Structures are given as C-alpha cells and as structure tokens.
C-alpha cells in the first residue's frame, strides 16, 4: 500500500519556484538618468536605445529558478517605428488643418474605418513584437494569435460591453487574457488558460458596490454637507470650505482608485493561477489588492509630485511587489524547452521584425 | 587529467571567463568557459577541451546591462552566458584591443556626466529660443495660396453663421471703403499675392472689434465704427489688420504652434502626468507670447502706413483706450496670459519712429 501512495499523483508534486526581482531602484534610477540625458541631447533619438536598456534591466532581473528573462528588440527598429508614428500623427494634423471641410467630410469616414480595422492589426503586431523579442533560458517566446481574434477582443467585445452597460466587463477581460495567453508559446511549448468566471464576477460586484457606495457618500457629503459641515465646525470662510471640499474630493478619488484594484488584482491572480505551460507546468499568483493599491497609489503620487523624478523608483517598487507574488510550479526541471526554430538572424527575419516594430511605434505613439 | 591541468594554472589564462553554455535552441545548459585572444574567442568545455577558435566578427556580443549576465552568441546558435561582468569586460577589452569600459549604471565619469547634464539643459533651451525663427522660415517658404485657402474656408465657416449684415448707413459704408482703398494703396502688399477686401458686419459678442483673415479679408464690426470719433482711429485699426495679413501671422502662428508641439513631444514625451500638465500650460503661455509679438508687429506696420498717409498713428490706441475705459489700468500693462500687449506698450509701438 505504501508503494501505491509513492507512485501516485503525490510523486508528481511540482517544484515551486518563486519569481524574484534581483535589481535595485538605485541602479535603475542611474540607468534612467543616463538614458534620459542622452535622449535629451539627441532630440529623443537615443530613447529607443534607452527603452530597450531599461526593459532589459527590468526583465533580466525578473528571475525564476535562477534565470532571468531577456529582451532582444533592436533599438533601430523601435526608432523607425517611432518616426513612422510621428509621421502619421503629423500627417493627420496637417490634413485636419489644411484640407477644406468638404474633402475632409469624405475622408473622415474612410479614416474611421481604417482605424477600426487597423487597430486590431496594430495591437496584434505590437503584442507579437514584444512577445517574440522576449526569451527565457535561451528560448524565445512566440505569439501565434490571429487577426480576427484580435479584432474580437479589441473591437467587438468592448462594443458588447458598451451595449450591456458594462455588465459583461469581467467576461471581456477574461476573453482578452485568454486571447493573449492561449497564443503565447515558449519555444514549442504552448501556454493555455481557462478562466473560471466566478472569482472575476465576485470581484467585479464588490468593486462596483463599493464604488457606488463611495460615490453616493461623496455626493451626499460634498454638496449639501459642505455647508452643514462648515456651520457645524463653525468655520465661516469660503476658503476653508473650498479646502474641505478639495480634501474630500482627493480622498474620494484615492478611495475609488483603490477600489478599482480589487478587480484588476482578481483578474491578475485568476489568470496566474489558471495558466498552464505545456509539459505540466503551472503558475501561482497571490497579489493582495489593497497592498498593491497602496504601493501603486503612494509611489505613483510621489512620482507625480516630483515631476517624474521618482518614477524609476516607483516603477521598480511596483514591479518588485508583483514579481514577488508570482510563482512557477515546475514539473521537473526546465531543461526540456526547445526553440520553435533555430533563429538564424537572417535578413528576412529582421525585415519582418522591423514591420512589427513599426506597428509597435505607431501603437505607443498614439 | 585535462580539467585539473586547466585549473592548475589560472594565472596563465587571464582572459578566460567561466559561465554556462546553452545548446542551440535549447533551455538546457552545461558549465563552460570561453577564452579570449586578440580578435578571437574560443569555447572551452568543463573537461578542458577547446572548441574551434572563432573570430570576434563571427560572434555576437549582447550590449551589456548593469548586473545582468553577459552573453555571447556563436554562429551555430549556442549561447554562452557569464555572471562575471568584470572578468568578461576585461577579457573582451583585451580581445578588442581597447581599454576597459566604465562599469556601473551611469557608465560615465563625473566630468562627462556634468557636461552631459549641462548640455541636456542648454540644448532644449536653445532649441526653444531658436524655434520661432525656424518656424517663420518654414512659413515664409510656403506659398501664399495656403494662406488664401485657410482664409477662404474660415470665412465660409463664419459668414452667415457668426456675422450678421452690417447696419451702417450706405454713406458711412462708402466712406469706409474709400478709406480702406487709401490704406491698401499705402501698404507694402502686392495685389497679385493677396486680394485685400473689406467686409462690414455686425455681431453680438465681437461687435467692437475687427479681424483679419489670412486670405486678405478684413471684417470690421459696426460697434467699432460707432465708437470711433474720427477717421484716423478706424484707419489705424484697418492698417493694423493689414499688418497681420502682410506678415502672415495666422500661418506663422500655426507653424510655430506645430513646432512647439514637436518640441514638447521630443523633450517631455510620455512622462509623469503633472509634467505634461505643466508643459501644456507652458505651451499656452508661449503661444500667447507669440500672439503679443505679432500684435506689436501689426502695430508697427499700422504706424508705418499711417505716417505715409500723413495720418495720426496713435489714433488707434486712443480708440482702444476708449473701448477699454472700464478696465482702467489693467489694460495698460501686458499680462502673462493676455493675447495683446498692454495699451501703454502699444502706444510705444505706434509712437516709435516718430521724429
Ligand atoms: Zn491685432
């Protein structure tokens, strides 16, 4: 009998590897400072190199089972993408300014159609660009999602959310996550994601109820209350009432923002806990919504009031927390991943990469 | 034993770096080292067996990122990875025949860093100050037909919707038309470039005003005519509006605004939201300063035309003083957020050049 338990499912108990962030905010700050200064003196051109270096630092220090991730995007490709994006924006602005209204009347519906059908393409290419340029232990990730899948999650699903006054929002977010993860591969091993809906709907209802309560409370206090409160506290001056209102509004805005984290955290955890990687690997995600809200809001506030000076520090703090609450449940060792094809780095491949980078530039530019 | 032979003489292999080797397209790795020679690199297995000697031009070395493993990619697809940054950098510098790069996230000495920071402050300021001149150069190079197209479409937009027909007496209208022709003839504008025309109109909000459209249309509102006490006051206003057209202020404002937008995109980019708010306020204030600059330019042109006709260049400012008599001293000084210079300053502009 004891033999049976030994060879049963218990013997396939996965090995738990926690994700860790091994970088530090000081180094990241120095990288940001140098790349920012170089970007300024080169009129923004160097920022393409800076963006890649910063991302490589963040990803390389995001480690699991002793190895970090790497990012391989070519700065030149990013740069071309940005030029194209700026060209597109300038083109649009010029045509809006200089074209006569009657011609613009003909062009704008065609342009709207172009945006409608072009947007999923750009989102897809941008996603694919980032995923394909990411690697772990010498194996590149791949993204194999198609256009109509992207069209569904970027155009049709948001439209359905709109006509159902947001009631199917959790379904839409789940659909989006599934579109992404069911199309990501690590080499030849595919990821797969099944999303249970109940945790998402539970979080959605809690978020909505708290959000409504907060809003009702705010309006009940702020408008009629501001005068009663003023007389109750015996402060007559309108300046003090103004200040009181501003403080109340600030508290309301922060509380509402914190409440929103209940849903986003549930989405993140549900995705993480249900994600599988071919070969019997799975993941864990244990982010605490209020802890995340505190980290993001407090660090974000500090970054804002310092005009972005503390943004690198805030970025690292948030990233470190998210990484630390993530785990890989590996089925055995991680030596068996195989690249989809040995990338020869040929010209055709980089040409293709350039197209994707351009799509990415357009996306981030708009 | 080969392996012990290798480890026995570490001193003789100063350019050997240990790390791990991933097989091509595989996540499996083995312990390995590489040894750099001048212009070459060679893979060494854990057993001490040497691989083929590769020229540095055959391998790819990833750009270093502080604290992260250095990577070297062989043409066959194998990837060597080392956590020993210092040794890797020293060996690579030896192989490439150069001195060691500064390590650390800044990668720059204090002198270079200060120079860079100084340049990063001075360059945007310089570009910001030089931009209006460049933008004006661009605007000057553009054909007048663009001004005409913008003006014509703007006029169509406003005419009938914003403007009502003028209620001035026919006698007054013909007098104004005669006055306008007199001023047009005294202006420096070539009638082949722009066809100047006067249109009289009435409007509820804008009524005590006059506007110039870039195609040469000047719209004079009834209220201004009613408040004027003599011909020179209106002549000065019309000459001022012609000044706007002569110096192509609409187009220059548009090109300068585009240049400003470009600079903000380049130097502020997508940073923290508060900085963007500040930048937007800065852009607004700068555009207003351009507007005041153009008003002064139009005032100077007005005075030039008026003097040529033997009319009083200061009459226009007297009319404006009467118009703004309710705001007393506030209208006399330029404000940071005003579109026009203060009346005291405008009096100086039209008075400048009088003997
Ligand atoms: Zn003016």
């Amino acid at each position: 009998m004891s033999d049976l338990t030994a060879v049963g499912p218990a013997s396939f108990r996965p090995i738990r590897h926690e994700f860790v962030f091994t970088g530090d905010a000081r180094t990241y700050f120095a990288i940001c400072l140098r790349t920012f200064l170089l970007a300024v003196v080169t009129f923004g051109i160097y920022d393409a190199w800076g963006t890649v270096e910063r991302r490589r630092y963040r990803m390389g220090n995001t480690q699991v089972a002793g190895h970090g991730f790497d990012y391989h995007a070519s700065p030149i490709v990013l740069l071309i993408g940005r030029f194209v994006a700026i060209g597109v924006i300038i083109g649009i602005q010029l045509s809006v300014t200089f074209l006569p209204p009657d011609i613009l009347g003909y062009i704008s519906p065609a342009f709207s159609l172009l945006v409608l059908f072009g947007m999923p393409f750009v989102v897809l290419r941008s996603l694919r660009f980032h995923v394909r340029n990411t690697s772990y232990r010498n194996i590149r990730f791949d993204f194999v999602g198609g256009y109509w899948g992207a069209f569904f999650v970027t155009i049709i699903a948001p439209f359905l959310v709109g006509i159902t006054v947001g009631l199917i929002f959790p379904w839409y977010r789940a659909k989006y996550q599934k579109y992404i993860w069911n199309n990501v591969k690590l080499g030849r091993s595919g990821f797969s994601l099944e999303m249970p809906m109940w945790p998402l709907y539970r979080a959605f209802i809690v978020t909505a109820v708290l959000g409504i309560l907060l809003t009702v409370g705010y309006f009940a206090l702020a408008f009629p209350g501001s005068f009663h409160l003023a007389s109750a506290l015996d402060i007559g001056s309108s300046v003090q009432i103004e200040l009181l209102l501003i403080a109340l509004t600030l508290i309301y805005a922060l509380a509402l923002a914190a409440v929103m984290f209940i849903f986003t955290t549930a989405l993140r955890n549900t995705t993480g806990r249900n994600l599988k990687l071919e070969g019997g690997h799975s993941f864990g995600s244990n982010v605490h919504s209020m802890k995340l809200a505190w980290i993001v809001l407090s660090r974000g506030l500090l970054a804002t009031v310092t005009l972005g000076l503390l943004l690198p520090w805030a970025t690292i703090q948030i990233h470190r927390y998210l990484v630390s609450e993530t785990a890989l449940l590996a089925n055995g060792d991680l030596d068996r991943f195989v690249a989809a094809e040995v990338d020869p780095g040929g010209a055709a491949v980089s040409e293709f990469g350039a197209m994707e980078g351009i799509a990415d530039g357009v996306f981030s530019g708009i | 034993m080969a392996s012990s032979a290798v480890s026995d003489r570490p001193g003789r292999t100063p350019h050997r770096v240990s790390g791990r080797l991933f097989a091509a397209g595989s996540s499996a790795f083995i312990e390995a080292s590489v040894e750099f020679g001048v212009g070459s690199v060679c893979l060494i297995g854990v057993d001490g067996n040497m691989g083929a000697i590769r020229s540095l031009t055959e391998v790819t070395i990833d750009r270093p990122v502080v604290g992260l493993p250095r990577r070297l990619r062989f043409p066959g697809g194998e990837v060597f990875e080392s956590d020993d940054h210092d040794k890797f950098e020293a060996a690579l510098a030896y192989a490439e025949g150069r001195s060691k790069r500064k390590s650390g996230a800044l990668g720059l000495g204090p002198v270079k860093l200060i120079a860079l920071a100084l340049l990063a402050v001075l360059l945007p300021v310089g570009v910001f100050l030089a931009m209006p001149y460049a933008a004006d150069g661009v605007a000057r190079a553009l054909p007048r037909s663009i001004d005409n197209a913008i003006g014509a479409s703007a006029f169509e937009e406003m005419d009938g919707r914003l403007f009502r027909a003028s209620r001035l007496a026919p006698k007054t209208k013909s007098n104004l038309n005669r006055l306008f022709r007199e001023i047009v003839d005294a202006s420096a504008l070539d009638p082949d470039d722009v066809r100047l025309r006067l249109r009289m109109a009435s409007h509820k909000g804008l009524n005590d005003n006059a506007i110039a459209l870039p195609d040469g249309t000047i719209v004079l509102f009834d209220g201004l005519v009613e408040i004027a006490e003599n011909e020179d006051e209106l002549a000065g206003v019309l000459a001022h509006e012609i000044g706007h057209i002569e110096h192509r202020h609409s187009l220059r404002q548009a090109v300068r605004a585009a240049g400003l937008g470009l600079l903000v995109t380049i130097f502020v980019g997508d940073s923290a939201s508060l900085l963007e708010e500040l930048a937007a306020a800065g852009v607004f204030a700068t555009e207003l300063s351009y507007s005041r600059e153009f008003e002064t330019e139009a005032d100077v042109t007005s005075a030039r035309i008026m003097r040529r006709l033997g009319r009083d260049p200061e009459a226009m400012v007297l009319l404006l003083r009467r118009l703004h008599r309710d705001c007393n001293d506030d209208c006399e000084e330029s404000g940071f957020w005003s579109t026009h210079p203060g009346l005291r300053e405008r009096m100086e502009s039209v008075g400048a050049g009088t003997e």
Side-chain angles (χ1 to χ4, degrees), chain A residues 192-206:
Chain A
S192 59
L193 178 63
E194 287 297 327
M195 288 284 261
M197 290 310 293
W198 172 237
L200 294 185
Y201 264 99
R202 190 175 49 202
F204 181 66
I205 292 165
V206 172

Side-chain angles (χ1 to χ4, degrees), chain B residues 81-263:
Chain B
E81 195 175 272
S82 172
D83 294 326
D84 198 343
H85 312 270
D86 289 343
K87 210 154 183 208
F88 191 97
E89 178 54 32
L92 183 63
Y94 163 77
E96 290 178 341
R98 57 170 170 83
S99 56
K100 251 182 85 172
R101 280 201 197 90
K102 280 243 175 9
S103 58
L106 278 170
L108 298 163
V111 177
K112 274 188 185 165
L113 187 69
I114 289 167
L116 184 64
L118 215 60
L119 199 60
V121 172
L122 293 179
L123 194 78
V125 170
V127 169
F128 178 78
L129 293 177
M131 189 279 291
Y133 299 98
D136 287 356
V138 170
R140 225 169 282 129
L142 292 171
R144 272 275 182 186
S145 58
I146 292 182
D147 300 56
N148 293 343
I150 302 170
S153 68
F155 185 72
E156 268 166 41
E157 280 284 296
M158 290 186 276
D159 194 32
R161 258 181 277 181
L162 266 109
F163 308 153
R164 304 269 168 73
S166 167
R167 283 188 292 263
L168 295 175
K171 182 84 172 39
T172 320
K173 281 186 181 172
S174 66
N175 279 342
L176 282 170
N177 277 319
R178 182 195 44 76
L179 183 65
F180 185 65
R181 291 265 67 93
E182 183 189 328
I183 298 160
V184 169
D185 291 341
S187 79
L189 268 170
D190 184 349
D192 290 340
D193 280 346
V194 204
R195 214 169 52 80
L196 290 163
R197 57 174 179 161
L198 176 67
R199 194 180 152 88
M200 282 159 270
S202 69
H203 184 270
K204 267 188 191 149
L206 279 170
N207 210 20
D208 41 14
N209 214 328
I211 53 176
L213 299 175
D215 64 334
T217 308
I218 286 161
V219 187
L220 180 65
F221 292 101
D222 290 356
L224 204 64
V225 181
E226 282 153 15
I227 208 168
E229 288 179 354
N230 59 57
E231 229 180 47
D232 280 5
E233 292 182 354
L234 289 174
V237 170
L238 292 173
H240 170 95
E241 300 306 328
I242 287 177
H244 280 312
I245 293 165
E246 184 185 322
H247 299 291
R248 306 174 77 182
H249 287 155
S250 298
L251 185 72
R252 279 163 66 195
Q253 183 81 12
V255 179
R256 284 184 182 195
L260 208 54
L262 192 66
L263 290 192

